[in-house]
Amino acid sequence: MSREMLQFQLLKLNVALFSLVLLAVSWRLWIPQTFFPQVPLFSGVLSLPAWVDWLTFFMMLISSICILGVVLASCFGVSEHRPFLQQVCAGVFFSGFLISVVFDQHRLQPWAYQFAIGFLILTFLKPPRAIRLFRFFVISIYLYSALSKCDISFVQTLGPQLADGLFSGIGISTTYWSDQTISFIAGAFPVAEFLIALGLFIPRTRQWTLWAAVLMHVCLIIAVGPLGLNHYSGVLIWNVYFIVQDLCLFHSLFQKNSLLTQKDSVNSEDRDVDSSLSFRVVTGSERGVLLIVWFVMLAPLLEPTGYFDHWPAWGLYASHHDRITLLIDEQAKSSLPPTLQPFVDGPQPLSRWCRVRVDRWSLSELGVPIYPQARFQLGVALAIGSNLKHDQGKIAEQPQIKVLFEGAAHRLTGNRKISEHIGLPQIDQLTDRFLLNAVPRPFRGAE
């Protein structure tokens, strides 16, 4: 087996293996569940049967198992490579993922989105072209992730949290550090990520940058791991995936030699054609996959306009996006689902309103972070508010629910436009602001 083919197979093994692990960790997200509100992408699917969720979950699960099995069998010489079977499985995974997102926007998790695209690249394209395009795809993730953090809100909020988690994880206290020092460290995160994207793009600096990327993911694992911020296990697994992926993609072991033999020189022109990303040299399914991947790599440029979501634009740990803050009346806490009640803060002095931490509820119930779009979070608020309204037939004379709609933060000042909406009728009117659906499926909470 050539080095290129070994690299190609390892990349497929990595995607298939970690897709199975992360699907297993987050299995509640993908099944017909009543643990957490579901908000479909389009209002027309609100009443479709729940068995479709089981279908899409098994489509993704079985296709990952099949690709993993076929690749392992071919590596050990047990069976043939079977590219057509792998293409079918990749198409099934991609279709299952898209359908599942239509039924619940929460499922548009960055790792699932990445794996769905990765399967298409690695099964439909020739190995030289697949490896080259996969590199560009990964570099674009680093680039957009860096750009999403280039604002004052990250330096003031999530950046310092990550810095504190990192230093706490290695046993260094930041208690007596100045705010200026913490902000400087936080500002270094997107700079480092941008330099990694640039360094991986340039062949001459690729090897040094590879180890910087590995170090960055190790630091993230420390920062959000049990010794740091103690985030959910999925983010740790995804960072391990990135380390293995980067080693397979960029390590010098898999790079072409600078000195070519005479035979290699004769075939170099053919290899250049096989690795070309031009639409003129591809046909059929390869052209379709190229079109999808180029869209995925260019569409994040629309994110600042509001016409593309933050996670598909690789806004990872970004904090400038619009959001919903949910508050309920203190006396209404007992009518919430039992699993949600521990995530309700106490009221501020001289106030009856309690903040509901739906982000922590999502992590507890589904094992994944909440989808960072205001329309999805509005749907969650409406689902919770509907429960309050129907609390044993009692309708309070005063509204029991309030939301704060916080617009996107200004890149330079961090300021947001905030509007207050009290009661379900006012909150329901907010759904008209969005092009996509913000109305939840019927939800009563787990018994």
Side-chain angles (χ1 to χ4, degrees):
M1 183 183 295
S2 66
R3 288 187 179 183
E4 184 179 75
M5 185 55 66
L6 175 61
Q7 179 184 25
F8 186 58
Q9 299 288 63
L10 287 175
L11 286 170
K12 280 191 284 190
L13 284 174
N14 192 42
V15 175
L17 177 61
F18 278 91
S19 67
L20 286 173
V21 173
L22 284 167
L23 283 172
V25 169
S26 61
W27 63 274
R28 283 188 169 185
L29 175 67
W30 307 96
I31 65 172
Q33 51 88 12
T34 58
F35 305 105
F36 194 89
Q38 295 180 310
V39 185
L41 200 60
F42 307 108
S43 58
V45 301
L46 285 168
S47 58
L48 288 182
W51 60 261
V52 178
D53 288 331
W54 282 115
L55 175 63
T56 55
F57 177 57
F58 282 111
M59 286 171 67
M60 298 171 66
L61 194 66
I62 294 173
S63 57
S64 295
I65 293 173
C66 287
I67 293 177
L68 181 64
V70 170
V71 175
L72 282 173
S74 63
C75 287
F76 290 102
V78 177
S79 67
E80 298 178 359
H81 186 56
R82 298 183 184 274
F84 178 73
L85 177 59
Q86 294 182 53
Q87 291 173 3
V88 170
C89 291
V92 169
F93 187 98
F94 185 75
S95 301
F97 171 70
L98 289 183
I99 298 171
S100 68
V101 169
V102 168
F103 275 80
D104 186 7
Q105 300 171 46
H106 207 172
R107 294 166 178 162
L108 191 49
Q109 297 287 313
W111 57 266
Y113 182 55
Q114 182 186 10
F115 292 162
I117 301 301
F119 276 134
L120 293 182
I121 296 173
L122 296 172
T123 57
F124 281 89
L125 302 183
K126 294 180 180 179
R129 184 173 293 120
I131 293 170
R132 187 181 182 196
L133 186 59
F134 207 96
R135 284 191 188 127
F136 282 132
F137 178 46
V138 172
I139 290 170
S140 74
I141 294 175
Y142 286 125
L143 176 62
Y144 289 124
S145 179
L147 294 177
S148 71
K149 299 179 182 67
C150 292
D151 60 75
I152 194 66
S153 64
F154 175 80
V155 175
Q156 293 175 341
T157 56
L158 288 180
Q161 291 179 30
L162 288 174
D164 184 65
L166 173 60
F167 287 104
S168 297
I170 58 178
I172 298 176
S173 174
T174 60
T175 304
Y176 300 105
W177 292 12
S178 67
D179 293 340
Q180 184 178 6
T181 300
I182 296 294
S183 297
F184 178 80
I185 296 172
F189 291 154
V191 174
E193 207 165 13
F194 176 80
L195 292 176
I196 285 172
L198 181 63
L200 292 176
F201 181 77
I202 302 172
R204 182 170 294 183
T205 60
R206 189 165 288 162
Q207 292 309 299
W208 290 100
T209 310
L210 167 63
W211 298 111
V214 171
L215 178 62
M216 181 188 72
H217 288 291
V218 170
C219 289
L220 278 173
I221 291 172
I222 295 173
V224 302
L227 298 178
L229 300 177
N230 196 26
H231 283 188
Y232 78 112
S233 58
V235 70
L236 306 179
I237 297 170
W238 194 31
N239 274 281
V240 174
Y241 162 81
F242 257 98
I243 292 174
V244 179
Q245 167 199 262
D246 288 356
L247 290 172
C248 292
L249 269 180
F250 301 108
H251 197 279
S252 59
L253 176 66
F254 301 109
Q255 306 305 309
K256 296 178 182 178
N257 294 328
S258 58
L259 298 176
L260 299 176
T261 65
Q262 184 176 2
K263 182 178 178 180
D264 289 334
S265 300
V266 172
N267 296 327
S268 62
E269 185 175 347
D270 292 337
R271 282 202 301 269
D272 290 340
V273 172
D274 287 343
S275 63
S276 173
L277 302 181
S278 171
F279 285 96
R280 293 178 298 179
V281 298
V282 296
T283 58
S285 59
E286 281 198 312
R287 179 170 292 180
V289 170
L290 271 182
L291 184 63
I292 291 172
V293 179
W294 278 115
F295 171 80
V296 167
M297 291 194 295
L298 295 177
L301 295 173
L302 297 174
E303 190 271 340
T305 69
Y307 288 101
F308 201 70
D309 283 4
H310 310 296
W311 271 357
W314 309 112
L316 310 173
Y317 289 103
S319 55
H320 66 271
H321 53 77
D322 55 355
R323 62 195 184 193
I324 294 289
T325 299
L326 173 61
L327 303 103
I328 64 163
D329 188 284
E330 183 180 16
Q331 296 182 354
K333 179 178 178 179
S334 60
S335 64
L336 292 173
T339 57
L340 175 57
Q341 293 179 24
F343 304 104
V344 180
D345 294 343
Q348 295 294 321
L350 304 179
S351 172
R352 66 186 178 93
W353 296 108
C354 304
R355 182 175 179 180
V356 183
R357 301 283 185 171
V358 291
D359 52 340
R360 298 178 184 175
W361 186 35
S362 173
L363 289 171
S364 173
E365 289 301 297
L366 303 180
V368 296
I370 193 170
Y371 194 60
Q373 291 293 140
R375 70 168 185 274
F376 176 80
Q377 296 171 8
L378 177 65
V380 174
L382 285 170
I384 295 172
S386 297
N387 272 356
L388 295 178
K389 180 179 178 181
H390 296 95
D391 179 30
Q392 299 178 354
K394 300 176 183 178
I395 302 178
E397 295 181 358
Q398 60 181 358
Q400 297 176 294
I401 184 172
K402 177 172 70 172
V403 300
L404 304 179
F405 184 91
E406 304 181 43
H410 191 279
R411 290 276 185 174
L412 299 180
T413 65
N415 294 333
R416 298 175 182 267
K417 293 181 179 179
I418 302 176
S419 57
E420 184 178 280
H421 307 267
I422 303 177
L424 277 180
Q426 287 190 23
I427 297 172
D428 190 62
Q429 291 176 5
L430 289 173
T431 60
D432 297 332
R433 294 191 181 188
F434 304 101
L435 292 175
L436 297 175
N437 176 59
V439 178
R441 282 182 178 179
F443 176 76
R444 289 293 295 166
E447 297 296 333

